[in-house]
Amino acid sequence: MLYGKTTTTEHVDDGSTVTDFLPAERARGITIQSAAITFHWPPSKAENSAAVGAIEKPAVPLSQCVEPHTVNLIDTPGHADFTFEVLRSLRVLDGAVCILDGVAGVEAQTEKVWYQAAAYKIPKIIYVNKLDRDGAAFGKTIKEIASKLHTWPAVCQIPWFEGGNGRFIGIVDVVGLKALRWPDGGDGKTLKIIALDELEKLDSKLTETARRARTALIELLGEYDALIIEKYLECNEDHIAILPEDITAALRRCVLNQKNLVPVFAGASFRNIGVQPLLDAIISLLPSPEETQDPEINVGGINGVLKQMIQGKMALTKVDVLSKAKHAVPSKKSSSVTNTKLETCALAFKVVNDSKRGVLVYVRVYHGVLHRNAMLFNTNLQVSERAPRLLEMYASDAVEVASLSAGQIGVIVGLKYARTGDTLLVYTGANPKSGPPAPLNTLQLRPIEVPPPVFFASIESQSLSEEQTVANSLALLLREDPSLHLSVDEDSGQTLLSGMGELHLEIARDRLVQDLKAKASMGKIEIGYRECILASGGPDTILFDRETAGRSGKAACTASISPLIETLMDDELVQTDTTFRQDGNVIDVYLIQNTDEETELNSSSTTIPSHLSETIIRTALQNGVVAALARGPQHSFALHSTHASITLDLSTQIFGTDTTPSALTSAARLATQAAIKQSFQQVSTALMEPVMKVIISVDEDSLGSVVHDLSSSRGGHILSLDDADIVSAAGSSSQTRDDIALIDLRRVYSPPDPFDVTSTLGDSDIAMASNGNRQRTITAKVPLKEMVGYLKHLRSLTAGRGTFVMSVDRFERMGIQREKAVLKEIRGM
């Protein structure tokens, strides 16, 4: 995976990128959706002269490979709004290149993706880009890698600035002890290799820096790799004498074994400086599919790994599968099965609706070979469908292939049902309808986690005739991007589209209108406020006697209301035959025999008309109360936190066949409305608003400003302040930043920058770099109105490092000043 700047593979500045092929990407100069490219490195002999160009002096390549390697590269977005594109790419990849801006250093989103990659235990290397720009500081970036990513940077290359502080002209290979210089104004295909002895004549200071970097690299590797220590002793403790091949092997062992160090490389991709050595490092240091961890699977509720199951070393429980795998019922029989008939196992990690080719399903093959026209069984949906065409992608272009082997990433054209995260199997002799035999038809690879949405907007069709077209287009959009969510607000009736941020929804709207040609518009969401009564009302007895649709209806009942006490607002309230809880209100329905004795209904002594029953009566009365509570007396918002009681005397308030369910509902509605009016005449109602439970993750430096903003500007209540659980660089999800061993920046080697911005670091600087990056979690209750558009504000407060999730908690009464402000906004005054 390539995470960071697209200029490493192409030029983004002139809007002619290959991986950023969408019009919105080229217009904004950013990556919006992940794009796949398959290429070969090193180039074949036939391609070598055109692809690499002339090298003035031959040199030993950083990689030990001779034959070209196939590389599946995925360029992922760097913007926080498109974090799901990164997550689903991480799920299927074997290695990652984290690309840093040499001017900006380690940015906020870099930290998030770094720990996300650690959660999937993906080996990583770092490439510091844009060193040709003013203000670039390679040494400062090295220090930030240590302090913010909590890993030891292994400096494998250092930048070469002309005259020590001039323009960027090349790099010095610390592993191979040679300099690489690219000529001015070239296309990057031609470079000059300079031995260390020759470099000393040109720049003695840079040569000394290279020797110190080599010493620091060996010392760092010696802390994690025993074999490099043996090589060091064999070379009479001479750091310079160790062979480059031995250092590369040690780096590879550390990367594959997930040691807490990361190789760091340098370059300027816009001028093609350092790109070829970076590709060599990818081949040399990152794993091949055979060297990666075996993918996790779940079969019939049993967790394991794919290789164990195929080899028959995993105990499988035989299951009886109904229409869906999630309804599988395990039997008592358990056995270890050798699955020799399982030809292919693949994971669908992305779905794209292409205007020319149709639906494209991106897959990663984990086992076997996927052939064209193979019958695929989707274990998530329990359906079979054929793969008519297979493609290898080059961003928006494609090459049709006959098969995809294990480890490859490709595209299946024409699948109707497959979604992101579905497991696809090819099994010899499988039934087209039921698929492979149990328990293999429940086999699922580790799913792709979808983060919860944090930004909301309403979406409406421009006319009633366009509603179905808009709905179909939204379904296609949600199949492409599962991080988009669609819901309908029960109060306003609005269709709400939610996602990861403002830019995310803006791009979704553009796709909906421009690409899918849906006639829809996007606007702000409407907050569903509530009213609550402050005084009791009733009892009021109402007799309903009216002819409706040519049929007489007559019924009576007595209603009273009161503010709902706090104990009855809890979710633990038990619903009984006489008590109902609905929309934050509690409704009591009492059926009595007579008003004098007020005894409870006894079915053995009371006769209910034959066309009615106790259940029908209670339901009709309840519906009447609900209808009355749906409209408040002052602001017309639905009532909330109201305790309504409705009483029906069966001996005096039922009038034979004239008492119908609709008449009972009307009587209950009118009686409740009368009680509400009586309460309102005593005291005005109060306004209530939905309050969200919000969990915000920020760094220590931003904690104070975020807490102050929540409590003072947004009317929130802070519930707790805790240390945030994060994933450490070692991949443990149970650690906090305090548990990670802080790196003493004085022990981190970094070459001097042209303007020496990191020459000295005091103890206070080290403490600030370490503790200021400590993650904290804020749990608070905040009104929903204040959370609309909050993500953008949070990012500005936290320099882009803050994230949050929220869920509906309850409705709470507003203060007088806040109620006035909200009413003024609603009325547009």
Side-chain angles (χ1 to χ4, degrees):
M1 183 189 77
L2 186 69
Y3 169 74
K5 306 302 176 187
T6 307
T7 44
T8 301
T9 54
E10 52 201 326
H11 290 171
V12 67
D13 302 61
D14 58 2
S16 60
T17 56
V18 174
T19 54
D20 292 345
F21 56 86
L22 293 178
E25 293 178 315
R26 295 187 172 183
R28 290 175 170 84
I30 61 172
T31 302
I32 291 173
Q33 70 173 17
S34 55
I37 289 179
T38 301
F39 66 95
H40 301 282
W41 187 266
S44 62
K45 293 181 180 180
E47 301 170 324
N48 193 48
S49 59
V52 180
I55 298 180
E56 294 188 13
K57 186 177 180 180
V60 178
L62 289 176
S63 68
Q64 302 302 309
C65 60
V66 178
E67 297 298 325
H69 286 62
T70 299
V71 179
N72 293 297
L73 180 145
I74 296 184
D75 179 29
T76 61
H79 197 284
D81 282 12
F82 307 105
T83 185
F84 179 69
E85 287 288 331
V86 180
L87 286 175
R88 63 175 166 189
S89 298
L90 286 173
R91 172 61 186 82
V92 299
L93 295 172
D94 302 324
V97 181
C98 178
I99 302 182
L100 304 180
D101 188 325
V103 179
V106 178
E107 300 178 80
Q109 186 66 4
T110 306
E111 298 177 46
K112 298 173 189 175
V113 177
W114 184 268
Y115 291 112
Q116 289 167 349
Y120 287 105
K121 299 181 180 179
I122 295 178
K124 303 173 288 292
I125 63 176
I126 289 178
Y127 175 69
V128 181
N129 191 20
K130 300 187 179 180
L131 292 175
D132 58 334
R133 296 193 174 183
D134 292 339
F138 183 77
K140 173 177 171 288
T141 304
I142 293 296
K143 295 288 187 182
E144 290 187 357
I145 292 171
S147 64
K148 295 182 178 181
L149 302 184
H150 298 280
T151 187
W152 288 92
V155 179
C156 298
Q157 295 174 353
I158 57 176
W160 181 1
F161 295 98
E162 191 173 34
N165 58 3
R167 56 193 177 85
F168 181 58
I169 58 175
I171 59 173
V172 178
D173 177 12
V174 176
V175 176
L177 289 178
K178 58 179 178 288
L180 306 177
R181 178 168 181 169
W182 281 259
D184 298 336
D187 57 3
K189 296 179 181 179
T190 302
L191 59 92
K192 183 178 181 181
I193 299 176
I194 303 172
L196 200 62
D197 295 338
E198 298 178 30
L199 180 63
E200 190 164 15
K201 300 175 184 178
L202 300 173
D203 193 332
S204 59
K205 188 176 180 181
L206 179 64
T207 306
E208 183 59 31
T209 301
R211 290 194 176 98
R212 286 198 300 268
R214 166 65 90 93
T215 301
L217 178 61
I218 299 301
E219 293 291 337
L220 178 60
L221 286 173
E223 296 184 21
Y224 295 96
D225 186 78
L227 292 180
I228 198 67
I229 297 178
E230 295 180 8
K231 298 295 182 181
Y232 173 66
L233 297 176
E234 290 175 5
C235 295
N236 298 321
E237 302 184 2
D238 185 358
H239 301 85
I240 307 299
I242 300 177
L243 296 176
E245 293 83 358
D246 295 329
I247 299 175
T248 301
L251 285 168
R252 181 178 179 82
R253 287 191 294 270
C254 291
V255 170
L256 297 188
N257 294 329
Q258 300 282 301
K259 300 297 184 182
N260 192 30
L261 67 79
V262 57
V264 182
F265 301 87
S269 298
F270 183 70
R271 293 171 53 194
N272 289 316
I273 297 178
V275 176
Q276 298 96 324
L278 174 64
L279 291 170
D280 284 338
I282 291 173
I283 301 299
S284 300
L285 303 181
L286 294 180
S288 65
E290 292 79 11
E291 297 170 308
T292 57
Q293 294 186 347
D294 203 27
E296 301 173 14
I297 62 170
N298 182 286
V299 184
I302 300 175
N303 294 323
V305 293
L306 184 61
K307 187 179 294 184
Q308 287 183 349
M309 188 209 69
I310 294 172
Q311 295 175 348
K313 298 179 181 179
M314 177 179 171
L316 301 180
T317 302
K318 293 185 177 180
V319 297
D320 298 322
V321 180
L322 302 178
S323 59
K324 293 186 178 180
K326 64 181 180 180
H327 298 301
V329 180
S331 69
K332 296 182 179 180
K333 297 181 180 180
S334 179
S335 63
S336 295
V337 183
T338 302
N339 299 288
T340 56
K341 293 186 178 181
L342 182 62
E343 294 183 20
T344 311
C345 180
L347 178 72
F349 68 94
K350 183 175 180 177
V351 179
V352 174
N353 184 49
D354 187 89
S355 58
K356 297 179 180 179
R357 302 184 183 94
V359 176
L360 307 179
V361 179
Y362 286 74
V363 296
R364 159 71 191 263
V365 181
Y366 282 99
H367 169 71
V369 179
L370 176 59
H371 295 281
R372 183 192 302 149
N373 291 322
M375 180 61 74
L376 300 171
F377 182 74
N378 189 321
T379 60
N380 297 72
L381 301 177
Q382 295 289 298
V383 297
S384 296
E385 50 186 332
R386 194 170 295 279
R389 296 172 60 200
L390 302 178
L391 305 176
E392 276 189 354
M393 297 301 294
Y394 187 76
S396 59
D397 297 327
V399 176
E400 191 157 349
V401 294
S403 62
L404 296 171
S405 58
Q408 281 192 289
I409 290 175
V411 167
I412 305 175
V413 182
L415 297 185
K416 295 181 180 179
Y417 306 107
R419 310 160 304 173
T420 296
D422 285 354
T423 301
L424 306 175
L425 303 181
V426 178
Y427 189 86
T428 304
N431 187 308
K433 293 185 178 180
S434 61
L440 282 184
N441 55 357
T442 65
L443 187 156
Q444 291 185 11
L445 292 160
R446 179 180 177 180
I448 300 173
E449 297 179 1
V450 181
V454 294
F455 197 90
F456 306 84
S458 67
I459 188 161
E460 298 176 358
S461 59
Q462 295 180 0
S463 63
L464 290 175
S465 60
E466 294 292 332
E467 281 188 354
Q468 189 59 45
T469 303
V470 172
N472 295 337
S473 299
L474 285 171
L476 283 174
L477 203 61
L478 266 62
R479 187 185 179 194
E480 285 188 13
D481 188 355
S483 62
L484 290 171
H485 298 258
L486 203 63
S487 60
V488 177
D489 187 89
E490 295 181 357
D491 299 323
S492 63
Q494 286 183 311
T495 299
L496 301 182
L497 185 66
S498 52
M500 305 307 299
E502 187 175 2
L503 181 60
H504 187 202
L505 292 192
E506 184 181 331
I507 296 299
R509 180 200 61 197
D510 292 345
R511 288 272 294 127
L512 189 67
V513 174
Q514 297 175 10
D515 298 344
L516 301 178
K517 307 301 180 184
K519 295 181 180 179
S521 58
M522 192 174 290
K524 293 183 179 180
I525 66 172
E526 295 180 6
I527 307 297
Y529 295 104
R530 297 287 190 272
E531 290 184 53
C532 65
I533 60 172
L534 302 178
S536 299
D540 281 284
T541 302
I542 296 294
L543 172 64
F544 176 83
D545 188 0
R546 189 177 305 168
E547 188 174 301
T548 305
R551 183 178 179 182
S552 62
K554 188 176 182 180
C557 63
T558 303
S560 62
I561 64 167
S562 62
L564 187 63
I565 60 177
E566 198 70 26
T567 55
L568 293 180
M569 293 176 65
D570 297 335
D571 293 334
E572 288 79 9
L573 178 69
V574 178
Q575 186 162 299
T576 64
D577 291 339
T578 60
T579 302
F580 305 90
R581 183 186 181 97
Q582 187 165 345
D583 298 331
N585 301 306
V586 174
I587 303 170
D588 291 330
V589 178
Y590 299 108
L591 305 182
I592 61 176
Q593 290 182 349
N594 57 74
T595 55
D596 297 328
E597 300 177 3
E598 290 191 358
T599 55
E600 288 294 327
L601 173 64
N602 186 338
S603 58
S604 62
S605 59
T606 302
T607 302
I608 297 176
S610 59
H611 66 285
L612 298 175
S613 67
E614 182 181 343
T615 302
I616 292 175
I617 294 173
R618 291 186 186 276
T619 301
L621 293 174
Q622 179 191 354
N623 292 339
V625 176
V626 170
L629 295 178
R631 186 179 178 87
Q634 187 172 3
H635 305 296
S636 299
F637 293 117
L639 286 171
H640 193 278
S641 303
T642 301
H643 190 182
S645 297
I646 194 83
T647 304
L648 177 69
D649 188 342
L650 296 175
S651 59
T652 61
Q653 294 179 331
I654 286 186
F655 306 93
T657 57
D658 289 342
T659 302
T660 61
S662 61
L664 288 169
T665 298
S666 298
R669 176 175 56 81
L670 294 173
T672 306
Q673 286 176 341
I676 292 172
K677 183 177 181 181
Q678 185 181 12
S679 169
F680 176 61
Q681 290 173 344
Q682 300 177 52
V683 184
S684 298
T685 61
L687 209 58
M688 303 183 75
E689 64 181 339
V691 174
M692 313 299 288
K693 183 178 181 181
V694 186
I695 301 175
I696 306 172
S697 176
V698 299
D699 54 23
E700 185 80 31
D701 291 339
S702 307
L703 182 66
S705 59
V706 174
V707 169
H708 180 267
D709 176 69
L710 288 174
S711 57
S712 61
S713 303
R714 301 183 180 273
H717 301 281
I718 307 300
L719 301 180
S720 65
L721 298 174
D722 305 301
D723 290 331
D725 290 337
I726 67 160
V727 180
S728 73
S732 172
S733 59
S734 61
Q735 289 183 301
T736 66
R737 283 190 189 266
D738 291 341
D739 298 325
I740 299 174
L742 297 179
I743 294 176
D744 187 349
L745 299 188
R746 290 169 296 191
R747 294 182 55 209
V748 175
Y749 171 78
S750 62
D753 289 316
F755 301 101
D756 205 19
V757 295
T758 57
S759 57
T760 57
L761 280 172
D763 292 340
S764 60
D765 297 321
I766 297 170
M768 181 177 65
S770 302
N771 296 331
N773 199 39
R774 176 187 175 195
Q775 287 292 106
R776 300 294 298 274
T777 295
I778 305 167
T779 304
K781 288 185 177 181
V782 188
L784 173 60
K785 180 179 181 297
E786 303 298 334
M787 296 306 297
V788 176
Y790 178 66
L791 180 62
K792 188 175 182 179
H793 185 71
L794 177 64
R795 287 174 180 169
S796 68
L797 287 176
T798 60
R801 288 181 167 81
T803 59
F804 77 95
V805 293
M806 66 179 181
S807 58
V808 178
D809 185 63
R810 61 192 304 172
F811 278 85
E812 288 188 359
R813 182 180 167 185
M814 296 184 192
I816 297 177
Q817 295 299 323
R818 183 169 178 80
E819 182 176 328
K820 289 181 178 179
V822 169
L823 289 174
K824 183 178 180 180
E825 183 178 340
I826 293 174
R827 293 166 180 167
M829 298 175 60

